[in-house]
Amino acid sequence: MNIITYEGVYDLLRKEKIYPELQKVPDTFLTEVISYLSEKTAILDSQKQKDSIFAEKEVEKTAKQLENIKKMLKELYERRENKIVKLALIASKTGSLSNTDMLKEEQEMYNALVSNLTYYRENILTKVLDKKQPSLNNKTEKSKEEENLKTIRFTNPVPQFIDNDQKIYGPFKEEHVANLPSKIAELLIRNKKAEEI
């Protein structure tokens, strides 16, 4: 059953405007929105087939409602996107904070943002503060690295350590969230130091 209504979307947008934190939306929200838009478009097409003065008014009303809901959905997306970017910035600075009120697609966006922001922070700011020249891999190397990253949450504190490539990681506190190379992440998970999220 489709729970999306014009009033429902308006209410979600209103809450997203009022509250600074990301608001909970149903997991099926995007599927239901697609279904709602398809139904409205089908109604509009059907109304256009009719030939009467009343049909003309109905067409105008439905078209306007469709246009308005698309505007609301765009604003809702952009407000949520803005909050996710802010959360990702905080996470890349502190290494913690994940939001459970994200849709699956938004969580993917968040993880990618945290990964990218952390990568550039480590390879620009951290290097400069260590009096080293920033070293950014080219995009191909970077995307290979990203493919092999896992997002984990530390269940125990882990001191700073160096991997085989002499790259320094940590220290990590309990509940800290980080994107680490798969091999390291799996080792930490096996040793009951972290869990995959």
Side-chain angles (χ1 to χ4, degrees):
M1 190 181 89
N2 194 342
I3 61 156
I4 294 295
T5 61
Y6 185 88
E7 294 74 19
V9 173
Y10 178 82
D11 193 48
L12 284 173
L13 177 58
R14 186 184 59 79
K15 285 179 184 168
E16 213 65 66
K17 283 179 180 178
I18 293 170
Y19 300 105
E21 59 279 345
L22 207 57
Q23 297 303 294
K24 182 80 178 151
V25 293
D27 292 339
T28 55
F29 180 70
L30 296 177
T31 308
E32 288 172 11
V33 162
I34 292 164
S35 172
Y36 176 86
L37 292 173
S38 300
E39 283 170 24
K40 278 287 172 195
T41 306
I43 290 166
L44 184 62
D45 291 342
S46 154
Q47 288 171 343
K48 283 179 181 174
Q49 303 301 316
K50 295 173 185 166
D51 191 24
S52 75
I53 299 162
F54 301 113
E56 205 174 293
K57 285 182 180 177
E58 286 300 311
V59 164
E60 204 175 295
K61 185 182 166 192
T62 307
K64 189 71 179 161
Q65 197 174 36
L66 199 53
E67 185 189 325
N68 286 343
I69 201 151
K70 282 181 180 178
K71 281 182 188 168
M72 285 195 296
L73 288 166
K74 184 174 184 278
E75 189 180 350
L76 180 66
Y77 177 87
E78 287 171 356
R79 283 184 179 273
R80 291 180 69 81
E81 179 184 56
N82 195 24
K83 290 178 185 182
I84 291 165
V85 169
K86 285 178 183 170
L87 287 168
L89 269 170
I90 293 165
S92 82
K93 289 175 189 174
T94 63
S96 60
L97 190 75
S98 184
N99 192 294
T100 53
D101 291 332
M102 290 182 206
L103 295 167
K104 181 172 62 78
E105 294 81 0
E106 292 173 330
Q107 188 70 51
E108 278 183 35
M109 184 204 308
Y110 170 82
N111 290 343
L113 283 167
V114 172
S115 177
N116 277 318
L117 290 166
T118 304
Y119 172 84
Y120 286 106
R121 175 175 286 275
E122 285 171 2
N123 289 286
I124 299 172
L125 178 65
T126 308
K127 293 267 168 92
V128 169
L129 294 178
D130 286 344
K131 300 173 287 298
K132 293 176 186 169
Q133 194 64 31
S135 64
L136 299 172
N137 297 336
N138 69 39
K139 278 191 173 180
T140 317
E141 289 172 17
K142 186 174 160 291
S143 53
K144 277 182 194 166
E145 259 184 42
E146 277 179 358
E147 279 173 24
N148 297 321
L149 287 180
K150 259 191 185 163
T151 306
I152 58 168
R153 179 184 289 109
F154 286 84
T155 52
N156 288 293
V158 172
Q160 192 175 63
F161 61 91
I162 301 171
D163 72 359
N164 297 340
D165 300 326
Q166 302 304 303
K167 194 169 176 190
I168 299 166
Y169 295 96
F172 299 104
K173 294 176 183 169
E174 193 176 337
E175 289 300 308
H176 189 109
V177 173
N179 287 305
L180 295 176
S182 289
K183 283 182 183 176
I184 295 170
E186 282 161 16
L187 185 67
L188 288 162
I189 292 163
R190 268 200 310 273
N191 291 323
K192 307 270 189 265
K193 299 284 184 191
E195 59 188 14
E196 190 172 357
I197 55 171

